[in-house]
Amino acid sequence: LCFCSCSSSDLASVIKDGVLVVGVTEYEPMDYRDGDGNWVGFDADLAKLTAERLGVKAEFVIINWEEKGDKLTAKDIDCVWNGYTVNDIDKVSFSDAYAKNSPVLVVRGDKADLIKDTDDLDGLSVAYEKGSSSERIAEDLKCDFKKQPLSLQKEALDSVKNGDADACIVDKTIFDSLVHSDLVSVYTFESEKFAVGFRKDSDLTEEVNRILK
């Protein structure tokens, strides 16, 4: 394994410390804790495998999703590996995409006949995770609705389930992974790509790309 020894090298710092600090949220099936408190899931397992290839351990740190960029800049974390939609390319260095996702509009089953797509959201309340691609989608909608920004996608789903919101926008990955007998997906937005987010111009990006190939 070759890496730059200069102080500005994120890769060198990770190797020296023996730890890859990964910023995550509770996001099943990508990152979540099992019954023993261990982080598991598609992204968590991939992060642990990558850390092993680097010769270090993966350490998972829960972050507020809307603060992910600040956490990277402050070097509180080395990367964000949590179903991160490729965006903010002027602020973040992204790995090659490794998965696809499609945000969906979710409503209670008893409202599915009334809310079939985004045109039906006028005057209603829509929940979404702050700082997510779902928030950007909500901001771009042309209809007049009440915004309900929340900390987690699961909270957005619970808000609809409990009747606090009429609809929510979440990733299809999380909707499909949880059992929602009373919730239905009524509209699918444009497909997105997931990648790992690093500090801008971080040399970890190239190394992780090499490992993931």
Side-chain angles (χ1 to χ4, degrees):
L1 177 67
C2 296
F3 55 89
C4 176
S5 61
C6 62
S7 60
S8 62
S9 169
D10 288 338
L11 178 57
S13 179
V14 167
I15 300 299
K16 178 182 177 181
D17 294 341
V19 176
L20 178 70
V21 183
V22 184
V24 298
T25 65
E26 292 273 4
Y27 175 10
E28 191 173 348
M30 311 308 279
D31 294 301
Y32 62 100
R33 285 174 285 198
D34 62 17
D36 296 321
N38 299 311
W39 284 97
V40 296
F42 185 86
D43 279 357
D45 292 345
L46 200 54
K48 286 185 284 189
L49 176 61
T50 299
E52 182 180 329
R53 297 283 178 84
L54 288 171
V56 303
K57 292 184 177 181
E59 176 183 325
F60 297 93
V61 175
I62 295 179
I63 60 173
N64 290 325
W65 193 244
E66 60 181 333
E67 297 177 354
K68 56 188 177 296
D70 293 336
K71 292 294 185 181
L72 283 171
T73 301
K75 296 191 175 183
D76 293 331
I77 57 177
D78 297 309
C79 63
V80 177
W81 208 322
N82 193 230
Y84 196 171
T85 300
V86 177
N87 51 49
D88 300 327
I89 57 176
D90 57 330
K91 300 178 182 178
V92 178
S93 286
F94 283 99
S95 71
D96 295 335
Y98 60 84
K100 290 184 178 181
N101 170 67
S102 295
V104 291
L105 180 66
V106 176
V107 303
R108 285 170 58 106
D110 56 8
K111 291 188 177 182
D113 289 338
L114 302 175
I115 308 173
K116 297 182 178 180
D117 60 36
T118 58
D119 293 334
D120 299 322
L121 296 176
D122 272 323
L124 303 182
S125 57
V126 179
Y128 50 81
E129 182 184 51
K130 292 182 287 187
S132 68
S133 60
S134 296
E135 181 176 46
R136 283 187 293 275
I137 291 172
E139 295 288 347
D140 289 341
L141 294 179
K142 305 303 181 184
C143 49
D144 183 19
F145 62 91
K146 180 181 178 182
K147 299 173 183 177
Q148 191 181 107
L150 298 169
S151 297
L152 295 170
Q153 294 192 70
K154 187 178 183 302
E155 291 178 0
L157 288 165
D158 288 341
S159 184
V160 176
K161 181 179 180 179
N162 298 333
D164 296 326
D166 297 298
C168 69
I169 303 173
V170 297
D171 290 341
K172 187 176 186 297
T173 50
I174 191 170
F175 179 73
D176 288 347
S177 71
L178 302 176
V179 177
H180 301 290
S181 59
D182 50 352
L183 300 181
V184 295
S185 169
V186 295
Y187 184 83
T188 302
F189 296 92
E190 185 176 348
S191 177
E192 304 171 335
K193 294 180 179 180
F194 285 162
V196 190
F198 301 93
R199 276 179 286 281
K200 190 65 177 175
D201 300 322
S202 173
D203 56 351
L204 272 171
T205 312
E206 182 178 354
E207 184 62 22
V208 170
N209 280 338
R210 184 190 67 78
I211 292 172
L212 292 179
K213 286 182 178 178

